Amino acid sequence: MLFFISSPRFLSPLKLIFIPKSLFLSVSVLKMELESPTMLVLCGKSSAENELAKVLKTSNTLKLPDNAPINVVLHSENEKLESFQNDAFMIDSYMNSLSTSRIGKFLIYSPKLSSTHDVVSHNFCELPIGTACIADVQLKGKGRSKNVWESPKGCLMFSFTLQMEDGRVVPHVQYVVCLAMTEAINDVCLRNGIPPLNVRIKWPNDLYLDGLKVGGILCTSTYRSKKFNISAGIGLNVSNEKPTTCLNAVIQRLISNTYQLQREDIVTAFFNKFENFYDIFINQGFQALEELYCKTWLHSGQRVIVQEKNENHDQISENVVTIQGITTSGYLLAVSEDGQECELHPDGNSFDFLKGLVRRKLV
């Protein structure tokens, strides 16, 4: 199909733009997928949580943004789902491996939905704290600053809920999530005789392996009834090599056998690890985890350039600083060459450790 574009004010040559037919097809397929009912499978670890699942189903309590149509089913009534979809998330395997006391015990699973983050954040008050939502495919995954997280099959995509009262420590939650995921991946590898993968944290919320991004974390919060309602979302490339790389591709390069990490093993190891770290965080503060966190991230001792505008915003100065850790408010602690401590804030999507585009605040 050809479109002719010209302007009546100029006599420039006409521009021809070719729009592939496949583009129209993919757009219409996406529209159909978004308009068709989203299946939500509810399952609990205990009988009390399974009773709650029945109540949520019969009361039609759960909603999606824009009132998108949903089809709520109970896992106990729909166990054949796992057998006819070879690549579906194995709910029974997940529940059998989960050993938490609170987090992840109530599960919402979907073969395909817009965003796991939408499900838990939109229904926060109707769900028990610690509810998890897991999907095989996301159509509109979320990243920082309204970025889209690509979510093909083979990617582990899940969100869960937390609730906190002290808003001063809420920014640190994403760091606890990142740390728990890196430790969970290592635990699964060691348990299966695989050398630990060197997954590292890129501040504030990315996971990197061999210099490429393999995961991302998004934590959002709302304040209601004197409490912060937190929705934490994680995307991790487990078996999907695109758009960057994945854990299993790196494993295949390291060892000769055909062992593959499974999404169910990683997410249960994550929740088991996170609940432990979260309790330490709440009772002792992030300082109790900071040493382990700094061993896992990419930035200890890293020198970056801080670009600052003057008061008139017409001149930019550059200063070299060295990163030393995390401040009590959750930002980067750095020291300038003259020994002055400063706090570094990300400047939207322009924050890049190669360019050092950050905002500085003296502390």
Side-chain angles (χ1 to χ4, degrees):
M1 182 179 294
L2 298 178
F3 286 90
F4 296 91
I5 302 176
S6 64
S7 171
R9 297 176 58 190
F10 300 96
L11 296 178
S12 57
L14 298 180
K15 295 181 180 179
L16 304 181
I17 300 177
F18 174 70
I19 301 179
K21 184 178 180 181
S22 60
L23 177 61
F24 290 101
L25 291 176
S26 62
V27 171
S28 74
V29 169
L30 176 60
K31 183 178 179 182
M32 290 176 59
E33 288 177 335
L34 291 174
E35 291 177 350
S36 60
T38 296
M39 176 184 287
L40 299 180
V41 182
L42 308 185
C43 183
K45 177 79 172 176
S46 68
S47 57
E49 288 139 4
N50 282 315
E51 284 301 314
L52 173 61
K54 293 178 182 178
V55 172
L56 291 174
K57 178 188 176 181
T58 56
S59 63
N60 295 317
T61 301
L62 300 180
K63 306 294 180 183
L64 290 180
D66 303 323
N67 290 318
I70 61 174
N71 177 27
V72 178
V73 298
L74 302 179
H75 175 58
S76 58
E77 302 171 347
N78 202 55
E79 293 183 359
K80 292 183 179 180
L81 176 73
E82 296 181 5
S83 62
F84 70 74
Q85 274 189 292
N86 293 329
D87 54 356
F89 185 83
M90 305 298 288
I91 297 176
D92 289 334
S93 175
Y94 164 84
M95 286 296 180
N96 291 336
S97 300
L98 190 70
S99 61
T100 61
S101 61
R102 306 179 307 279
I103 300 176
K105 295 181 65 178
F106 188 82
L107 176 67
I108 303 173
Y109 160 72
S110 178
K112 183 182 296 183
L113 49 63
S114 58
S115 164
T116 60
H117 196 273
D118 282 347
V119 173
V120 297
S121 61
H122 202 68
N123 299 282
F124 194 100
C125 296
E126 285 72 35
L127 298 169
I129 301 301
T131 292
C133 179
I134 297 174
D136 293 328
V137 174
Q138 282 188 149
L139 302 175
K140 299 170 68 174
K142 293 179 173 61
R144 285 185 69 233
S145 300
K146 298 183 180 180
N147 288 336
V148 174
W149 173 267
E150 291 193 31
S151 310
K153 285 189 176 182
C155 182
L156 171 61
M157 297 157 290
F158 67 101
S159 299
F160 64 100
T161 61
L162 299 167
Q163 194 170 67
M164 302 177 66
E165 295 183 0
D166 188 353
R168 294 171 297 179
V169 298
V170 168
H172 291 85
V173 171
Q174 61 184 330
Y175 308 146
V176 182
V177 174
C178 288
L179 179 60
M181 181 54 78
T182 61
E183 292 293 300
I185 293 169
N186 286 338
D187 281 358
V188 175
C189 288
L190 289 172
R191 194 162 59 241
N192 291 279
I194 306 299
L197 296 177
N198 191 29
V199 177
R200 308 294 295 277
I201 300 168
K202 180 184 177 185
W203 188 86
N205 56 0
D206 288 335
L207 301 177
Y208 270 63
L209 180 59
D210 289 351
L212 296 173
K213 183 174 178 177
V214 293
I217 285 85
L218 174 68
C219 295
T220 62
S221 66
T222 57
Y223 188 66
R224 183 173 181 176
S225 301
K226 298 183 179 181
K227 292 183 179 180
F228 290 88
N229 296 336
I230 301 170
S231 301
I234 299 95
L236 180 69
N237 296 345
V238 178
S239 300
N240 54 300
E241 292 192 52
K242 294 181 179 180
T244 56
T245 188
C246 65
L247 304 184
N248 283 329
V250 174
I251 287 176
Q252 294 307 305
R253 293 198 298 267
L254 293 175
I255 60 177
S256 57
N257 65 33
T258 58
Y259 175 78
Q260 297 273 301
L261 294 174
Q262 302 300 317
R263 292 179 299 156
E264 296 83 0
D265 294 337
I266 294 175
V267 71
T268 52
F270 167 80
F271 282 134
N272 294 338
K273 182 71 67 173
F274 176 81
E275 187 170 271
N276 179 46
F277 283 170
Y278 185 72
D279 288 342
I280 294 173
F281 168 59
I282 292 299
N283 294 322
Q284 304 177 40
F286 185 72
Q287 292 79 7
L289 299 170
E290 188 170 358
E291 182 178 354
L292 180 59
Y293 177 85
C294 289
K295 288 180 179 178
T296 309
W297 75 342
L298 294 167
H299 312 302
S300 293
Q302 186 175 19
R303 291 163 62 85
V304 298
I305 298 173
V306 177
Q307 295 185 345
E308 296 180 285
K309 292 181 179 179
N310 62 8
E311 294 182 358
N312 297 325
H313 298 279
D314 57 359
Q315 290 184 343
I316 296 177
S317 62
E318 293 187 349
N319 299 286
V320 177
V321 299
T322 302
I323 298 171
Q324 290 196 332
I326 301 292
T327 68
T328 56
S329 55
Y331 294 103
L332 288 179
L333 175 64
V335 177
S336 63
E337 292 183 319
D338 60 3
Q340 187 178 41
E341 288 189 348
C342 59
E343 186 176 74
L344 305 183
H345 295 211
D347 185 14
N349 282 331
S350 66
F351 183 75
D352 191 325
F353 280 101
L354 298 178
K355 299 177 180 177
L357 301 180
V358 294
R359 292 183 287 115
R360 182 169 84 162
K361 178 181 178 182
L362 299 180
V363 296

